Amino acid sequence: MLAFELAQKFRKTRSQQRFISFISMSSTIGIGLGCFVLIVLLSVMNGFEKELTSRILSVVPHGEIYSKSESGIENLEAQLYRFSQDSRLDRVTPYTGLTGMLQSKGELKAISVTGIPVNSVKEKYAERVTKNDWARFSTQENGLIVGKGILDSMDLAIGDTVQILIPQTTQDLTFKAPRSITLKIAGVLSVGGELDNQLGLMHLKTASQAIGITSKAQGIQFTLKDPFSAYDTMRDIGYSYPQAVYMSDWTRTQGHLYSDIQLVRAVVYIALTLVIAVACFNIVSSLVMAVRDKQASIAILKTMGATDTLIRNTFVLQGVINGVVGVTVGVALAVIVAPNLSEIVRFIESGLGVEILSGDIYFIDFLPSSMHWQDVVVTMIVAMLLSVGATLYPAQKAANISPSSALH
């Protein structure tokens, strides 16, 4: 193709073209760097979203309803059977929740304990509680599993006896002496982040008796096949439920994490797309100077019969080559680095003795990464469109050159 051969020839560096070549090279590096960083950061956002789903949403219920009355859920078995037929639901679990103060060795700490049917939810907590802890918990009716943060901050150990103080109110909404229940630490729950400092698990029957639930459970927890449909699904279930109940879903309790991830993803995409766009403006600069430098050559080509389309395509291809090289190098590096980013960061942390993410603050203690090919494809398309768009003005300027004025 003649236009491609001319573009290659025009790219050859002569001593007077070094500055043009430098600008051209900087645009290629800028495009490549922008593509590389964009894909890597999008992979990190994908990793955080994946960990959010697999860690927090594996423990926190996707949705729940709980009785407005103090007696608990009526006709529990019938309701559980009805929900088991709902195709939107993956698991339905009765529960009783209580919030109080954990007391041990003169120390107090707020805790939110969930009473669960131990034998039917074992697989739900399999990755967050060790087998030995769960076996011990299963055989102790007064057993309590607490978050790792609670265990560490209160200097507790397996087998320690603790008390949970549950606040009580009277008919006139005044407080009376809290109810106290005695439990024994049976295991440790490790989810990550703040949840480790506030969650606890106990037996459903013990929890219901502790707060005076006369039915078997205070409420029902739902695990959905699509966690991101929780808002609509829970409102559909709650509004149609035959008993007066409160309803909630994970977007109200943990949704800020997902919203933050989506916000950062949008900001990253916009910012780095602008970085690629700025790099593409260097293509405009280099091609405009190349057109000025090659005016005589363009004029000679036109006198030999070259059409405006040929000249235009020549300079479009010259700029596109920069874009293709930059995109190819940047994407290739990103495809190598992104899937291995967690290991690379761990190596850097061990080498420098620093900790990038603290498990005490965040729900994970490592930098996650999950590369999606659609992100790679979209990044390549956007970068190439910006590269092609940057060539249009200089290419048209080259096509408009008049042989008579250029050779004058």
Side-chain angles (χ1 to χ4, degrees):
M1 183 175 164
L2 181 57
F4 183 77
E5 293 178 2
L6 289 173
Q8 287 284 73
K9 185 174 180 61
F10 284 173
R11 281 174 58 85
K12 290 182 179 179
T13 304
R14 297 200 308 263
S15 58
Q16 65 267 32
Q17 291 181 307
R18 287 177 181 173
F19 183 64
I20 299 175
S21 297
F22 171 77
I23 296 177
S24 177
M25 182 180 64
S26 66
S27 67
T28 302
I29 294 173
I31 293 170
L33 185 60
C35 291
F36 169 76
V37 175
L38 179 55
I39 293 173
V40 169
L41 290 184
L42 288 178
S43 298
V44 171
M45 294 300 104
N46 295 334
F48 273 109
E49 186 175 321
K50 180 180 177 181
E51 291 298 325
L52 170 66
T53 304
S54 63
R55 283 175 172 264
I56 292 183
L57 296 186
S58 67
V59 176
V60 174
H62 299 169
E64 59 185 10
I65 58 173
Y66 52 99
S67 172
K68 185 177 179 181
S69 70
E70 296 181 358
S71 60
I73 294 292
E74 301 170 359
N75 301 318
L76 179 62
E77 298 299 333
Q79 297 300 334
L80 292 177
Y81 176 78
R82 179 171 71 90
F83 287 129
S84 68
Q85 308 303 310
D86 194 325
S87 60
R88 298 170 297 180
L89 307 179
D90 187 45
R91 183 189 294 118
V92 185
T93 308
Y95 84 100
T96 294
L98 55 92
T99 301
M101 301 297 292
L102 183 67
Q103 183 180 39
S104 176
K105 304 172 185 176
E107 294 186 31
L108 290 172
K109 186 173 181 61
I111 188 172
S112 178
V113 185
T114 303
I116 55 174
V118 178
N119 295 329
S120 61
V121 296
K122 179 180 179 180
E123 63 278 359
K124 179 179 179 180
Y125 298 97
E127 295 183 4
R128 309 298 166 215
V129 181
T130 66
K131 290 183 179 180
N132 290 338
D133 284 358
W134 193 266
R136 187 185 305 109
F137 174 59
S138 300
T139 59
Q140 296 178 356
E141 286 193 5
N142 68 334
L144 174 68
I145 290 180
V146 296
K148 187 176 183 298
I150 297 176
L151 195 82
D152 294 339
S153 64
M154 298 189 70
D155 194 25
L156 297 172
I158 303 298
D160 285 354
T161 299
V162 297
Q163 287 185 316
I164 294 183
L165 306 179
I166 307 170
Q168 298 186 86
T169 57
T170 59
Q171 293 285 343
D172 58 358
L173 299 182
T174 59
F175 285 96
K176 60 181 181 179
R179 183 181 300 165
S180 173
I181 57 174
T182 302
L183 301 171
K184 182 177 287 188
I185 302 296
V188 183
L189 174 69
S190 180
V191 181
E194 282 301 309
L195 290 179
D196 282 349
N197 293 310
Q198 54 186 268
L199 291 185
L201 300 174
M202 63 188 296
H203 286 248
L204 175 61
K205 182 179 178 180
T206 306
S208 296
Q209 290 174 348
I211 61 174
I213 297 293
T214 56
S215 66
K216 294 182 179 180
Q218 180 189 38
I220 301 174
Q221 294 180 341
F222 302 91
T223 301
L224 309 183
K225 292 180 179 178
D226 178 14
F228 299 103
S229 67
Y231 182 88
D232 294 329
T233 302
M234 291 314 303
R235 271 144 191 78
D236 183 34
I237 290 174
Y239 290 142
S240 62
Y241 199 77
Q243 180 184 350
V245 293
Y246 297 104
M247 55 187 173
S248 180
D249 61 84
W250 73 271
T251 61
R252 296 184 61 186
T253 57
Q254 306 296 327
H256 62 281
L257 293 173
Y258 180 73
S259 300
D260 290 347
I261 291 171
Q262 299 306 311
L263 176 61
V264 173
R265 185 202 300 274
V267 171
V268 164
Y269 203 91
I270 293 172
L272 291 176
T273 300
L274 291 176
V275 168
I276 297 174
V278 170
C280 288
F281 281 124
N282 284 339
I283 295 179
V284 178
S285 302
S286 62
L287 287 182
V288 167
M289 288 187 288
V291 168
R292 182 175 299 176
D293 185 67
K294 299 291 185 180
Q295 285 189 74
S297 299
I298 295 170
I300 292 172
L301 286 172
K302 282 196 168 186
T303 58
M304 295 174 63
T307 63
D308 289 349
T309 300
L310 175 63
I311 300 299
R312 188 182 301 111
N313 291 343
T314 297
F315 283 91
V316 167
L317 285 172
Q318 187 174 347
V320 166
I321 290 172
N322 290 342
V324 169
V325 172
V327 169
T328 301
V329 173
V331 169
L333 288 175
V335 168
I336 295 172
V337 171
N340 303 299
L341 186 61
S342 299
E343 289 72 20
I344 293 172
V345 172
R346 283 197 184 98
F347 177 77
I348 295 173
E349 286 180 333
S350 62
L352 299 179
V354 298
E355 189 178 34
I356 295 178
L357 292 179
S358 172
D360 296 333
I361 301 174
Y362 304 97
F363 63 91
I364 53 176
D365 59 0
F366 64 95
L367 192 66
S369 180
S370 177
M371 190 184 73
H372 293 175
W373 282 105
Q374 58 264 36
D375 292 335
V376 176
V377 172
V378 170
T379 300
M380 292 177 65
I381 291 174
V382 170
M384 286 308 304
L385 287 176
L386 290 172
S387 298
V388 172
T391 66
L392 297 180
Y393 170 74
Q396 186 60 46
K397 189 175 179 65
N400 292 338
I401 290 176
S402 170
S404 59
S405 59
L407 296 174
H408 180 65

